[in-house]
Amino acid sequence: MKWKKFKKERISLNYTVMLLPHSEKKPIHFKTPVWTFGLFFLMILTLTGACLFFAGSRLQLKEVQEEKAQLEKEWEELAIGKQQADAENEMLRQEREIQEQELKNLEQEARNAIKELEELVEREAQIREELGLQQVPESEEAEPESMSRLSETNGIETAELFGKARAASLDFEAILSEEARNFQSIQFELGYLQASLTEKTSRYDSYLETIEAKKAAEAAEKERRARLRDMIVNNALSYIGNAYVYGGNDPNTGVDCSGFTRYILSHTAGVYLNRTAAAQSSQGRAVSAENARPGDLVFYSSGGSINHVAIYIGNGQVVHASNERVGITKSNMYYRTPAKIVNVLGD
């Protein structure tokens, strides 16, 4: 009885809830145990704590999202900065490659200029030797060699510069400055080489003009001698049919073989010949039958001694004072076996 009374009086509480306080209807009364009230209060407290927790978590999540957005923005700025830096580095790299290529081109041009100078000097020496001029002073001859050593030294400095550029790529501005100075040095050297090349070229041109003039003079002399040989042939042919006179010296009145050759060569070419055929055979320069030219003298022998001479007129023919019966006539060069053929004109 006591427990039931306690439970009824202490554990169960009576509550009156007026659902419609302004209504004329009867209010609703109900009873609820204490533990139900406590459980309800705990549920409200738990729900409130959960709401507060989720509200705080949401606030923190918002802050984290804002920080994330800020970090993403900073990351994008860094990425853009990196792209710009990469682009600048690529431009600098390309500029360095262009600079290095220009230096290589200038160095190659310097080597080519030196090679041309050496060829010009060698050609100059050949021209001087052909013209019979005095040798170039040693100081001038040594000039290309000194320039060659200068180019080789500059090439070594260029190679060292490129090595330093690769080793110190982080300090690119200093490298460009050094390359620019070296570029100016090579430009100065190239200008000097070009000036020297111009001087050598002008000198070579003057020598070339001298050679051309010499060749023209030689051609004119060759043509003059050819005309002279034609004159000798024509002059000799003009006396065909005239008389043969032993010991005679004038084909107009009578002449023997050596007198005929002596008269024709002296009156046409101004060449002095000895009186007899044997004596004439020792003058001039001996030539082969294949190299015989009009105006040369063809000698014949009998018993090992020279006893007759004729003038070669070309095409295997000779003109000579043959004998008293025939006189001055034209014959085949091989009507007798030639013992010797001589060029007395000196060409």
Side-chain angles (χ1 to χ4, degrees), residues 6 62 103 167 176 206 216 226 249 257 259 284 299 309 347:
F6 175 79
K62 184 178 180 180
L103 288 173
L176 289 179
S206 65
N249 295 306
C257 65
F299 294 91
V309 61
D347 57 351

Side-chain angles (χ1 to χ4, degrees), residues 136-184:
V136 182
E138 294 182 357
S139 59
E140 295 185 7
E141 291 182 351
E143 181 180 354
E145 182 180 356
S146 62
M147 287 187 292
S148 178
R149 290 197 300 268
L150 177 61
S151 177
E152 292 176 359
T153 303
N154 187 266
I156 295 174
E157 292 178 354
T158 304
E160 293 178 353
L161 177 60
F162 290 161
K164 292 180 180 179
R166 295 186 182 94
S169 58
L170 296 178
D171 194 6
F172 187 67
E173 294 182 357
I175 294 172
L176 289 179
S177 177
E178 186 68 20
E179 289 180 351
R181 288 194 295 270
N182 191 60
F183 177 75
Q184 292 176 355

